[in-house]
Amino acid sequence: MNPPSRRLQWAAAVASAAVIAAGVAFFDWPTFTVLAFYWLENVIIGGFTALRILAVGARTERYVASLAAAAFFSVHYGLFCLVHGFFVATLFGGIRALHGIADPVLLMIGRIAGDRIGIVVVLAMVVAAAIDAWRALARTDADGPKAIRNIMSEPYGRLMLLHVILIAGGFFVTALQLPSLAALLLVAFKLVYDLRVLSRSPSLPVPARAGGSLAD
């Protein structure tokens, strides 16, 4: 079965940005809500990365190695996301850490889950991440000796870049006298970033037709 078209990724990215923008413009979503959604997107991407690791292991029958790698990645990447979420929740959500670093993050997730409109954003992010993982898996040389290691390293660059951008953007939004307008600018910037990443991702190889070549 062929992976979905890249157009679906673009549509999902635009849809999530549009719903977030509508939430800011019409439902008075604060900057914290915007940042919380983008933090959750990193978590979703991490989940699909772990599934890609397991899929490559199953394809090459390296079950134990892939399971160990997926477990290590989940803990390591999860800690990065936990710290990032802690900063978002405490700095911009005003959530106090009473019993540990995880408490503000769990409360932040609870706020997202309690917003019915926000569920649409989460679903769009899940669709985009699932399509990206599917397409990336189709490009992966599972027999390569570094296939699993390369998959493990992919999300960290995005995580660190967005961590800096979103934290800095959050402070910028908070400092302005027009927080809603600034939040919309942050949404627009994030959408441009996502679309540029999608446009730079390599295309899937086009299979040759049976009995002929691509030049036919």
Side-chain angles (χ1 to χ4, degrees):
M1 182 181 297
N2 294 327
S5 168
R6 185 184 295 174
R7 293 181 180 179
L8 291 177
Q9 289 177 273
W10 284 63
V14 172
S16 63
V19 176
I20 293 176
V24 173
F26 303 111
F27 299 97
D28 297 323
W29 282 1
T31 303
F32 165 69
T33 301
V34 177
L35 296 175
F37 279 124
Y38 291 147
W39 169 82
L40 183 60
E41 184 180 29
N42 285 329
V43 177
I44 293 170
I45 290 173
F48 279 105
T49 300
L51 291 177
R52 284 176 57 199
I53 295 172
L54 294 175
V56 168
R59 185 185 297 178
T60 56
E61 298 185 352
R62 291 180 288 178
Y63 300 107
V64 175
S66 64
L67 184 60
F72 174 82
F73 169 81
S74 298
V75 173
H76 193 266
Y77 184 84
L79 288 175
F80 271 89
C81 288
L82 179 63
V83 173
H84 183 186
F86 175 81
F87 280 116
V88 171
T90 56
L91 292 178
F92 304 105
I95 302 176
R96 298 179 60 187
L98 298 177
H99 301 97
I101 189 174
D103 284 349
V105 177
L106 293 175
L107 290 173
M108 178 171 64
I109 294 174
R111 291 189 185 182
I112 295 175
D115 193 310
R116 294 182 179 178
I117 300 176
I119 296 300
V120 178
V121 178
V122 176
L123 290 176
M125 289 179 172
V126 170
V127 169
I131 295 172
D132 184 63
W134 194 349
R135 290 174 59 84
L137 188 62
R139 296 192 303 265
T140 300
D141 179 12
D143 294 321
K146 297 182 178 179
I148 292 179
R149 184 181 303 176
N150 291 338
I151 294 173
M152 290 176 61
S153 64
E154 286 178 11
Y156 284 97
R158 181 183 189 280
L159 175 66
M160 295 305 296
L161 178 61
L162 283 184
H163 177 75
V164 174
I165 291 175
L166 295 180
I167 294 295
F171 280 117
F172 171 75
V173 168
T174 303
L176 293 182
Q177 298 298 319
L178 297 173
S180 294
L181 177 59
L184 290 174
L185 291 175
L186 180 60
V187 173
F189 177 85
K190 172 64 167 49
L191 177 60
V192 170
Y193 170 82
D194 286 340
L195 296 182
R196 288 191 64 182
V197 170
L198 287 176
S199 64
R200 292 177 179 178
S201 62
S203 300
L204 293 171
V206 180
R209 290 172 295 175
S213 66
L214 294 176
D216 291 344

